[in-house]
Amino acid sequence: MIDKTLMDSLLAEARKAADTAYAPYSKFRVGAAILCEDGSVVTGCNVENRSFGMTICAERNAVTTAVSGGKLAFKALAISTPDSVEPVGPCGACRQVLSEFMPPDTPVRFAGTGADQVNTTIGELLPWDSLHDLKKQA
Ligand code: THU
């Protein structure tokens, strides 16, 4: 169980990360913050490309940065979309990538600028994940 205050500060880190977004095409900034098992926080922002399909989402950026830094165990995730009032959840591709490193019970919070915040889990974002235990079966 993750402390509410911890999720508040993780969301604040995600909000800060959104300020570094490179989003000249969509003008839609996204920031993601991952709380690692060792207590450190790794962030990511979306990085767009004029060849739109090459755009990298904030969530995948945060995950690959963390893994590149030798971190593989994560406790929580927060996502901030300061250009929307309503909370905007991670895209399908990000849900798949996040689930590679985060167990189904990992808490996830996402929020826009409004009062509504979504508190959910990786398992709720990617249900019926039949391949989740593939590594263990090898
Ligand atoms: N985006 C993310 O960074 N994460 C998501 O999960 C959804 C979409 C970015 C991609 C693009 O730069 C912008 O938001 C608009 O889709």
Side-chain angles (χ1 to χ4, degrees), residues 45-121:
C45 62
N46 53 331
V47 179
E48 296 186 344
N49 189 273
R50 63 188 183 281
S51 169
F52 293 168
M54 301 305 290
T55 290
I56 308 166
C57 291
E59 298 88 330
R60 274 177 289 154
N61 233 339
V63 167
T64 54
T65 301
V67 173
S68 303
K71 293 162 205 284
L72 288 168
F74 308 123
K75 286 194 342 197
L77 166 72
I79 304 157
S80 169
T81 53
D83 297 313
S84 73
V85 175
E86 296 302 320
V88 174
C91 76
C94 285
R95 292 176 196 212
Q96 183 66 44
V97 170
L98 292 164
S99 76
E100 180 73 21
F101 300 100
M102 297 177 184
D105 62 351
T106 307
V108 179
R109 175 183 288 185
F110 50 92
T113 55
D116 284 352
Q117 298 190 340
V118 173
N119 288 288
T120 183
T121 62

Side-chain angles (χ1 to χ4, degrees), residues 15-40:
R15 174 62 192 86
K16 257 194 272 166
D19 285 338
T20 59
Y22 176 74
Y25 305 106
S26 73
K27 309 250 189 274
F28 191 81
R29 296 164 296 162
V30 185
I34 297 173
L35 176 63
C36 304
E37 194 67 49
D38 64 6
S40 63

